[in-house]
């Protein structure tokens, strides 16, 4: 078994400092709803793609993660793997799909729509 080095303890301390970033129940519920919505960029073309959750970084600095309510669903291609992705070519991404904040507003509206559907269709069958 490998010995623990000074580097290992730095990682442990760094992760311990992120206790405040732990997900709350409401954050997990939001992420589940975002996954049901699918990629916001693909939906503009009438497609559904399995998304990953993208945190919108606005005035947060490199070491800080934005809050979980500032998130949008994007497929890997539109998140950080394609030529039109938000991380690799933000200008092109925004030309094609709108700003991250516009997509956040659209995602929040879709979440409200999902919640209404859940109230009327899922909850009544219990």
């Amino acid at each position: 078994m490998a010995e623990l080095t000074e580097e290992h303890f730095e990682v442990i301390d760094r992760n311990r400092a992120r206790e405040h970033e732990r997900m709350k129940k409401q954050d997990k519920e939001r992420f589940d709803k975002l996954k049901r919505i699918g990629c916001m960029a693909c939906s503009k073309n009438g497609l559904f793609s399995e998304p990953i959750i993208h945190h919108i970084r606005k005035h947060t600095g490199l070491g800080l993660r934005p809050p979980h309510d500032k998130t949008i669903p994007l497929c890997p291609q539109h998140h950080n793997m394609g030529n039109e992705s938000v991380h690799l070519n933000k200008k092109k991404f925004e030309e094609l799909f709108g700003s991250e904040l516009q997509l956040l507003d659209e995602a929040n509206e879709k979440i409200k729509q999902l919640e209404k559907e859940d109230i009327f269709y899922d909850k009544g069958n219990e």
Side-chain angles (χ1 to χ4, degrees):
M1 189 162 105
E3 282 189 52
L4 292 177
T5 64
E6 195 74 29
E7 184 179 329
H8 290 101
F9 291 109
E10 289 175 17
V11 170
I12 291 168
D13 288 341
R14 188 170 50 234
N15 289 339
R16 195 174 290 137
R18 291 184 165 196
E19 290 287 320
H20 67 281
E21 289 184 5
R22 284 221 171 119
M23 288 185 73
K24 298 176 179 83
K25 182 181 177 188
Q26 69 190 30
D27 298 327
K28 290 179 183 178
E29 289 174 354
R30 176 180 175 79
F31 281 23
D32 287 342
K33 290 172 185 165
L34 290 175
K35 288 184 182 245
R36 286 174 54 191
I37 291 170
C39 175
M40 294 299 294
C42 288
S43 71
K44 300 262 183 190
N45 296 321
L47 303 170
F48 177 86
S49 295
E50 190 71 32
I52 54 177
I53 306 302
H54 168 68
H55 286 81
I56 297 173
R57 293 188 181 277
K58 210 63 160 169
H59 311 295
T60 57
L62 291 176
L64 300 174
R65 174 171 283 189
H68 292 307
D69 63 343
K70 302 286 188 240
T71 51
I72 56 175
L74 294 173
C75 67
Q77 195 69 17
H78 289 115
H79 182 244
N80 62 357
M81 296 187 76
N83 292 333
E84 300 170 350
S85 69
V86 70
H87 285 291
L88 296 180
N89 195 347
K90 189 171 189 167
K91 184 177 179 183
K92 181 72 171 176
F93 178 87
E94 289 184 346
E95 285 174 11
L96 294 171
F97 309 111
S99 74
E100 292 172 277
L101 294 177
Q102 289 170 328
L103 293 175
L104 175 64
D105 289 340
E106 290 175 28
N108 288 337
E109 283 301 314
K110 287 187 176 191
I111 285 174
K112 287 179 188 173
Q113 186 178 359
L114 273 178
E115 289 170 345
K116 285 180 186 177
E117 290 172 6
D118 286 346
I119 289 171
F120 292 115
Y121 298 112
D122 291 342
K123 302 298 183 200
N125 295 330
E126 293 177 359

